[in-house]
Amino acid sequence: MYYTQWWRKSACYEGNMDETLLNHKETQFILLLEQTTSELSILENEIKTLGHKTERKILEDFIKNESDCKDVNLIIIDFFENQDQNDFEKVKKVCKNKEIPIIFYLNKFDKKIVANIKKFSKYGYILKDSNESILEATIEMTLELANMQETLKEERKPPTILAKNDYE
């Protein structure tokens, strides 16, 4: 009974759930890598409506110029069936100083394509015809998973041993 009464008094019950959640969300910088400049404009607008910053870049230019990944929290790559698989390894090398989660943006589901994606990213994919709520959930879960993995990685580092001179 207590739970039911609490639920009725919450912002979620009153229909303000989206507003409440948006106010507590941290803005992330999401990099969109595409084959040509016009392919991801709709995705870019959807991500901006979710409250995140985005930038679109041509995949080849990003690799060739070895762009800076310092502020990037997530990369979404527009994936084509005939795409060179080495491009994905090159993206990882460009961002070598920081492990950035990568999500692939697919036209359709195909077991072979998904098997190839698993080699490069453990964060999965989004189908191009997915609605905004699936996009939002995928982005949030990916960022949360990447954050937890980074935390675990930090916790596994051996402790720093201070030398005797450090105390003086």
Side-chain angles (χ1 to χ4, degrees):
M1 294 291 184
Y2 177 74
Y3 178 76
T4 307
Q5 290 172 354
W6 171 83
W7 180 258
R8 286 187 179 140
K9 292 178 184 175
S10 73
C12 298
Y13 183 79
E14 295 168 11
N16 298 327
M17 185 165 119
D18 292 337
E19 256 182 69
T20 306
L21 292 175
L22 281 175
N23 292 337
H24 299 320
K25 214 179 344 178
E26 189 177 321
T27 300
Q28 303 292 323
F29 180 62
I30 300 172
L31 178 63
L32 306 174
L33 298 178
E34 56 191 337
Q35 302 299 318
T36 64
T37 54
S38 62
E39 293 171 7
L40 297 180
S41 59
I42 294 171
L43 178 64
E44 180 181 33
N45 290 334
E46 288 177 354
I47 292 172
K48 284 181 179 179
T49 61
L50 297 174
H52 300 294
K53 294 183 285 184
T54 63
E55 183 178 349
R56 289 182 6 231
K57 290 188 178 183
I58 302 295
L59 182 62
E60 277 184 39
D61 295 343
F62 177 79
I63 293 167
K64 197 182 307 174
N65 299 332
E66 295 194 7
S67 300
D68 185 20
C69 297
K70 184 178 69 170
D71 297 327
V72 177
N73 301 103
L74 173 65
I75 296 175
I76 298 178
I77 299 177
D78 193 15
F79 184 87
F80 290 94
E81 292 178 53
N82 60 354
Q83 192 158 2
D84 182 6
Q85 303 295 308
N86 292 325
D87 287 348
F88 308 134
E89 282 299 326
K90 292 174 186 173
V91 168
K92 283 185 168 184
K93 286 179 184 171
V94 169
C95 298
K96 61 186 171 268
N97 296 332
K98 183 178 179 184
E99 283 192 39
I100 300 171
I102 297 173
I103 297 175
F104 291 91
Y105 198 54
L106 305 177
N107 281 328
K108 62 180 182 173
F109 177 83
D110 182 296
K111 286 183 180 183
K112 265 173 54 175
I113 293 172
V114 173
N116 283 334
I117 287 173
K118 286 181 182 178
K119 296 175 189 174
F120 301 101
S121 175
K122 55 190 161 256
Y123 298 101
Y125 61 91
I126 301 171
L127 293 176
K128 290 185 180 180
D129 61 356
S130 298
N131 64 33
E132 192 175 302
S133 60
I134 291 173
L135 174 66
E136 181 177 22
T138 303
I139 289 172
E140 285 180 17
M141 289 187 303
T142 299
L143 292 168
E144 205 170 298
L145 178 60
N147 190 23
M148 288 189 310
Q149 288 178 339
E150 187 64 33
T151 302
L152 284 172
K153 192 174 165 184
E154 290 296 318
E155 289 174 358
R156 289 183 183 155
K157 284 185 179 177
T160 305
I161 300 173
L162 301 175
K164 184 179 179 183
N165 292 340
D166 290 341
Y167 293 110
E168 296 174 2

